[in-house]
Amino acid sequence: MLTDEMRLAWLRLIRSENVGPATFRALINRFGTAEAALEALPELSARGGRQVTVFPEDAAHEEMARATKLGARFVCLGEPDYPALLRSADNAPPLLAMMGDGSTSQRPALSIVGARNASLSGIKLTRMFAREAGEAGYVIVSGLARGIDAAAHEAALPTGTIGVFAGGLDKPYPPENRPLMRQIVDQGGCLISEMPFGWKPRAIDFPRRNRLVAGLCLGLLVVEAALRSGSLISARLAGELGRLVFAVPGSPLDPRAAGTNRLIREGAILTTETNDILEALRPLAGRPPEADERSLEEAEMAATPEEPAEDERARIVETLGPVPVAIDDIIAHTEAAPGAVQLVLLELDLAGRLERHSGGTVSLLL
């Protein structure tokens, strides 16, 4: 468990400008603690080309007070209440706002997603899958949206469900699901968000939420989805994280089945009954997630203590362009120490000049 001072520093660091999960980890690996990283942030970003704003201490105290007033708390990566499966995901959020029973997130989980304008048959199937999977011991995870999401949560209330927000915990969307959110907490489930309190969800925030929905589970079920839908984004993210993807087939005449039918063609597990899911997940349910159990505050220093020379720094930057390249290729081409390359990339990242891509590649924002 982190001390209150350490938790405050983590909150300030992740809320600081241009600091995301990957950058947060790089900073902790470089400086050892969040406090030290906060002190170094202005100089690091200035070397990258633009000095960023560090999240103020009084604003962090205010956000913590808002969480306490709502009955929520902040859980840091490596702490007991941090979701076990999410901990093993690449670029897991270092800090989550959580409301409810955190032990729910330690159980094996199935995520269920689908259309907001769900059909009656889709709602009926969702309730069946959620209820029967819950009775088999699985927590049901979804995104608290209308349609399939809400049906999955409602059916899983007696057995445990986790709702994931796209905005802050005090800014639920859609607003009409507030009573459902209260039921989730009151009946032993929990609500989770990585976004700040007071944050109203935007369209670009929902894929980020979908990554959490995918990361929290062993497998993800898509009940209904159009060809261009957030549910297909969730399915893609689940596949990237190594989760099993299940899909319910539907009529070719129904646009809400076009996405699920395509997922099946692309290799998703065809699902017509709950046992299809349980049989596939059974070998995974008892396997502990592969994760670094240490707190990030205990991470070893990954970079070299020496600063790169100016000509070396320029050589590293020159290798970057709009086309993504592997970090190992940058090291091989420049013959610079890995720690020096990582430090320059960190400086550019903090200055908002670097974009990180899947597979560990990076590119320069021109």
Side-chain angles (χ1 to χ4, degrees):
M1 298 293 291
L2 274 66
T3 65
D4 290 343
E5 291 77 14
M6 293 165 68
R7 197 180 310 278
L8 183 72
W10 276 49
L11 179 60
R12 291 186 64 202
L13 186 57
I14 194 59
R15 297 287 189 256
S16 292
E17 188 181 5
N18 291 341
V19 177
T23 311
F24 185 100
R25 181 175 287 276
L27 286 164
I28 297 296
N29 284 342
R30 178 75 189 183
F31 297 100
T33 68
E35 292 92 338
L38 285 168
E39 292 180 8
L41 210 55
E43 182 182 349
L44 274 179
S45 59
R47 289 208 300 256
R50 184 175 71 85
Q51 186 167 314
V52 299
T53 303
V54 176
F55 195 68
E57 186 172 342
D58 58 349
H61 280 296
E62 181 182 348
E63 186 172 352
M64 283 190 156
R66 293 177 75 170
T68 301
K69 184 177 180 180
L70 190 67
R73 62 197 181 281
F74 291 104
V75 179
C76 298
L77 185 63
E79 291 192 301
D81 269 3
Y82 194 94
L85 282 167
L86 186 60
R87 188 185 301 133
S88 66
D90 290 339
N91 296 328
L95 182 140
L96 294 171
M98 182 180 291
M99 185 177 176
D101 187 352
S103 66
T104 306
S105 67
Q106 305 306 308
R107 293 164 50 196
L110 169 70
S111 291
I112 301 180
V113 298
R116 288 176 170 82
N117 62 331
S119 67
L120 287 177
S121 61
I123 294 292
K124 183 177 179 180
L125 283 168
T126 298
R127 288 173 176 159
M128 178 192 75
F129 289 129
R131 183 183 67 255
E132 293 179 354
E135 291 169 351
Y138 290 90
V139 171
I140 301 303
V141 180
S142 199
L144 290 162
R146 300 180 182 94
I148 299 298
D149 288 22
H153 288 304
E154 289 165 356
L157 285 171
T159 53
T161 183
I162 299 173
V164 185
F165 282 52
L169 284 184
D170 57 344
K171 297 294 179 181
Y173 181 86
E176 64 259 31
N177 277 346
R178 281 181 182 270
L180 173 59
M181 297 166 194
R182 187 70 257 171
Q183 285 180 291
I184 290 173
V185 173
D186 290 344
Q187 296 192 38
C190 70
L191 306 175
I192 288 175
S193 176
E194 65 173 311
M195 304 305 287
F197 279 78
W199 188 274
K200 294 182 179 179
R202 308 161 299 172
I204 60 173
D205 296 322
F206 287 93
R208 192 167 176 174
R209 177 208 62 182
N210 294 348
R211 185 171 181 83
L212 286 186
V213 170
L216 285 161
C217 67
L218 290 169
L220 180 138
L221 170 66
V222 185
V223 178
E224 289 181 335
L227 285 175
R228 295 173 62 86
S229 68
S231 298
L232 294 193
I233 295 175
S234 298
R236 175 178 59 79
L237 294 170
E240 291 176 356
L241 291 169
R243 301 335 190 213
L244 296 182
V245 177
F246 304 89
V248 178
S251 168
L253 300 176
D254 189 346
R256 290 168 294 198
T260 52
N261 290 342
R262 188 175 76 178
L263 285 174
I264 293 168
R265 289 200 306 272
E266 294 174 349
I269 299 171
L270 188 150
T271 305
T272 57
E273 59 182 16
T274 310
N275 201 46
D276 296 331
I277 300 169
L278 301 181
E279 285 185 354
L281 292 182
R282 191 168 290 118
L284 306 176
R287 185 189 307 168
E290 296 178 4
D292 184 355
E293 296 294 334
R294 299 173 303 166
S295 163
L296 280 180
E297 289 285 9
E298 299 168 347
E300 296 176 357
M301 300 289 281
T304 55
E306 298 83 7
E307 297 288 332
E310 283 307 310
D311 60 335
E312 188 176 44
R313 179 178 273 105
R315 196 162 67 248
I316 294 168
V317 175
E318 285 172 2
T319 64
L320 296 167
V323 178
V325 294
I327 295 175
D328 286 346
D329 290 342
I330 299 173
I331 295 170
H333 178 76
T334 60
E335 298 183 345
V341 172
Q342 292 286 0
L343 180 59
V344 174
L345 296 180
L346 180 57
E347 294 168 355
L348 294 170
D349 199 358
L350 288 170
R353 298 177 58 198
L354 190 79
E355 185 172 2
R356 297 185 183 271
H357 305 270
S358 59
T361 58
V362 294
S363 64
L364 196 64
L365 293 170
L366 302 177

